Amino acid sequence: MKRELVIVLDFGGQYNQLVARRVRECSVYCEIYSYKTDIETIKRMNPRGIILTGGPNSCYEENSPTYSRKLFELGIPVLGLCYGAQLMMHVLGGKVERAPVREYGKTEVLIDKADSRVLKGVSEKTICWMSHFDYISQVAPGFEITAHTADCPIAAAENEDAGLYAIQFHPEVLHTVEGTKMLYNFVRCVCGCSGDWRMDSFVETSIRAIREKVGDGKVLCALSGGVDSSVAAVMLSKAIGNQLTCVFVDHGLLRKDEGDEVEAIFGPKGDYDLNFVRVNAQERFYEKLAGVQEPEIKRKIIGEEFIRVFEEEARKIGKVDFLVQGTIYPDVVESGLGGESAVIKSHHNVGGLPDYVDFKEIIEPLRDLFKDEVRKVGMEVGLPEKLVYRQPFPGPGLGVRIIGEVTAEKVRIVQEADAIYREEMDAAGLNRTVGQYFAALTNMRSVGVMGDERTYDYAVALRAVNTIDFMTAEAVEVPYEILGRVMSRVINEVKGVNRVLYDLTSKPPGTIEFE
């Protein structure tokens, strides 16, 4: 049975992935596409509903992202959010102009039509997240106003007969208290989706599809020991058994003792039979990274060197037909595919293989999933909870947690500092409440005094964030006494560090990682 699909057309909004994530929370499968996707492609996808995201432009200006009127005449329900709502009104004959009062942040919205299908069950007065400098001053013909605020006369509007709904605020963010209810109403009640998107069916379908694709071919899996690659490896093992070989490249950029821990779990003496091969390539990576300062170049060097190592291992194994990677959906979008997002990550090989790679094809069984969905799959395939819910770790490893040039000495410093930080956070029980925490090594050196001696050493930065989907994140207020213990231990136990900082930056404007 073909799964039901709701598509998100991305107009450059910062919350586009959150929209898709919230729809999936309603047990409805959702994918993101650029607003440049042509109407015939959309027809072929046969979506049950379409959601238009926010964006930074003014829809009435020349060269702003737009779509033809035909989109709203397909007979498919459309929900416009923020810029998407304004664009809907603009294209269909309403009026959008610069607002006399800009709204930003938590705003009280008053519901004018309680029986609206999208606003059904929402409180008469509800808190929503506004972020706009333009506003809808006049609805398009056939629309009625369904909500307003003190400064925004048209906070929501709809043409129920045509299945068109416009919302000026952002129901996808957690600050909109009843936003998930609104999205649920749209995809389940308006679009009529049954809500059959579940992890157990995803696992079953994916394993069957992998088995059919691979046939009697051989598969090489890039196993890092992180959540994503571990889940991907076990899925492949369940699908094709000993046709799979898992290569673990210890590139010297792992957390302290992590290489040995990964081997203990997945190696010959572990609980899983993955034809595990460990490649100790620390010096090779350090040589390639010597003198390199720029973050994107470092990522590309690490990614390309991984491919080179896999090619070499594949030749030792013999003919290998497929390469498995633990790419997940945010990697796809942040690599510049699947929407209008700028390229944020370049270390993931998404969108196809370069010409010089010897494998027939890449298999990415988790490509459609967000991080929390990957964890659910991990539990479904029987991985231990401790592994499934371990701290996330980026593909390039400590290469993106060391600012500037990567050296063996810098790796040692950040490994030891990070181990201390994680040990103290775990001892305080914060591993159960904080989404992600780690230490990074800045490129800043400063003067300090240790004993009777003057020092000139590095500053370590501590990071702790909470996030649901890893697309937005807020810094955690770690108790000062814990930070104090970490600071004292790092400075006393880690040679080369004389200063410890705490990073308060949210995402956006920052990223969770440092580079």
Side-chain angles (χ1 to χ4, degrees):
M1 182 179 69
K2 188 175 180 180
R3 63 188 175 194
E4 299 168 326
L5 172 67
V6 169
I7 66 171
V8 172
L9 289 186
D10 176 16
F11 288 86
Q14 62 178 319
Y15 303 129
N16 61 353
Q17 295 191 46
L18 278 180
V19 177
R21 184 64 200 92
R22 296 291 176 261
V23 171
R24 293 191 189 185
E25 286 178 357
C26 302
S27 300
V28 175
Y29 186 66
C30 185
E31 291 181 346
I32 302 168
Y33 293 91
S34 167
Y35 74 90
K36 298 170 186 174
T37 306
D38 66 85
I39 196 78
E40 294 303 319
T41 299
I42 291 176
K43 286 180 182 178
R44 286 194 297 272
M45 287 190 282
N46 192 29
R48 298 295 295 269
I50 301 170
I51 301 177
L52 314 181
T53 72
N57 302 93
S58 294
C59 65
Y60 47 79
E61 291 182 346
E62 190 176 358
N63 299 323
S64 289
T66 189
Y67 214 101
S68 73
R69 188 184 185 97
K70 293 179 181 178
L71 181 72
F72 306 102
E73 297 171 345
L74 292 174
I76 300 170
V78 180
L79 172 64
L81 307 179
C82 198
Y83 181 87
Q86 296 168 4
L87 180 65
M88 181 185 293
M89 293 298 111
H90 177 69
V91 170
L92 295 178
K95 188 173 183 181
V96 178
E97 55 188 327
R98 187 58 56 100
V101 178
R102 176 182 176 178
E103 287 185 307
Y104 184 81
K106 295 180 180 179
T107 305
E108 185 178 65
V109 173
L110 290 82
I111 305 302
D112 297 315
K113 186 182 179 185
D115 61 349
S116 163
R117 296 181 71 190
V118 167
L119 301 176
K120 183 180 179 181
V122 175
S123 305
E124 183 180 352
K125 296 180 179 179
T126 187
I127 299 299
C128 301
W129 185 261
M130 286 282 191
S131 180
H132 65 103
F133 50 80
D134 288 336
Y135 81 126
I136 302 166
S137 58
Q138 180 181 323
V139 296
F143 283 79
E144 61 177 315
I145 299 170
T146 55
H148 72 280
T149 72
D151 296 311
C152 183
I154 307 172
E158 65 182 44
N159 181 338
E160 185 175 351
D161 291 340
L164 304 178
Y165 299 84
I167 295 179
Q168 179 59 70
F169 49 87
H170 290 276
E172 68 272 23
V173 302
L174 293 178
H175 301 303
T176 298
V177 177
E178 298 176 274
T180 298
K181 183 183 294 182
M182 300 172 195
L183 291 172
Y184 181 95
N185 285 343
F186 177 71
V187 299
R188 299 291 291 271
C189 302
V190 175
C191 300
C193 294
S194 61
D196 59 358
W197 168 245
R198 301 187 313 274
M199 285 304 104
D200 55 352
S201 59
F202 170 84
V203 171
E204 181 182 344
T205 302
S206 297
I207 288 175
R208 184 168 58 248
I210 290 167
R211 192 175 293 130
E212 291 173 357
K213 175 189 282 287
V214 171
D216 59 359
K218 287 189 176 182
V219 180
L220 185 64
C221 177
L223 178 62
S224 71
V227 176
D228 302 336
S229 68
S230 297
V231 172
V234 173
M235 284 183 69
L236 264 293
S237 178
K238 287 182 174 295
I240 60 172
N242 61 14
Q243 294 169 244
L244 170 70
T245 298
C246 287
V247 175
F248 167 59
V249 177
D250 188 344
H251 50 23
L253 302 171
L254 300 171
R255 289 171 284 206
K256 187 176 181 180
D257 300 327
E258 191 161 29
D260 294 337
E261 292 171 1
V262 170
E263 184 171 359
I265 295 172
F266 294 110
K269 298 180 181 179
D271 296 329
Y272 304 92
D273 182 15
L274 301 179
N275 289 330
F276 181 86
V277 176
R278 179 174 179 173
V279 182
N280 294 311
Q282 295 93 330
E283 294 305 320
R284 177 171 172 171
F285 278 83
Y286 294 160
E287 288 175 9
K288 289 284 185 179
L289 292 166
V292 180
Q293 301 275 342
E294 209 279 319
E296 280 302 291
I297 296 177
K298 287 196 296 184
R299 286 177 179 269
K300 288 176 181 176
I301 287 172
I302 294 168
E304 289 172 4
E305 200 61 20
F306 254 103
I307 292 293
R308 301 288 76 76
V309 173
F310 285 131
E311 283 182 328
E312 293 168 12
E313 292 305 314
R315 293 189 188 103
K316 295 176 186 177
I317 295 165
K319 184 177 181 293
V320 173
D321 304 288
F322 300 92
L323 171 68
V324 177
Q325 290 188 167
T327 307
I328 65 174
Y329 201 49
D331 300 327
V332 174
V333 177
E334 291 192 352
S335 297
L337 301 173
E340 286 300 303
S341 300
V343 175
I344 299 172
K345 297 179 179 179
S346 60
H347 63 277
H348 287 281
N349 187 3
V350 295
L353 285 165
D355 294 338
Y356 51 76
V357 178
D358 293 336
F359 311 107
K360 182 191 302 182
E361 188 177 345
I362 281 182
I363 296 176
E364 296 170 313
L366 309 176
R367 182 186 175 95
D368 293 337
L369 303 184
F370 289 94
K371 177 70 76 171
D372 57 323
E373 294 174 320
V374 172
R375 289 194 166 113
K376 290 177 182 177
V377 171
M379 298 303 291
E380 282 289 332
V381 298
L383 281 168
E385 185 174 344
K386 182 180 179 181
L387 176 61
V388 171
Y389 287 94
R390 70 180 302 184
Q391 282 288 300
F393 195 59
L398 298 179
V400 296
R401 293 181 182 175
I402 295 173
I403 308 302
E405 182 184 13
V406 174
T407 66
E409 175 65 7
K410 287 183 177 180
V411 170
R412 177 196 62 79
I413 291 172
V414 75
Q415 281 180 336
E416 293 182 5
D418 180 71
I420 290 169
Y421 184 32
R422 287 187 289 118
E423 182 180 321
E424 292 294 338
M425 293 286 280
D426 294 353
L430 293 179
N431 59 315
R432 298 182 179 274
T433 58
V434 177
Q436 185 172 356
Y437 45 92
F438 59 88
L441 183 62
T442 74
N443 205 24
M444 181 184 81
R445 300 180 74 180
S446 62
V447 173
V449 178
M450 299 183 74
D452 295 325
E453 296 183 1
R454 177 182 181 274
T455 62
Y456 187 63
D457 287 328
Y458 286 105
V460 162
L462 306 179
R463 183 93 161 118
V465 298
N466 272 332
T467 178
I468 292 176
D469 43 43
F470 291 83
M471 300 319 305
T472 62
E474 295 292 334
V476 173
E477 293 185 20
V478 177
Y480 189 80
E481 59 269 24
I482 296 174
L483 294 177
R485 283 200 299 273
V486 174
M487 177 274 297
S488 178
R489 287 191 59 192
V490 168
I491 289 176
N492 282 284
E493 298 176 29
V494 183
K495 183 181 178 181
V497 178
N498 67 359
R499 203 172 292 265
V500 176
L501 314 174
Y502 187 69
D503 180 12
L504 290 171
T505 314
S506 62
K507 177 184 180 180
T511 57
I512 293 177
E513 297 292 342
F514 271 60
E515 288 193 340

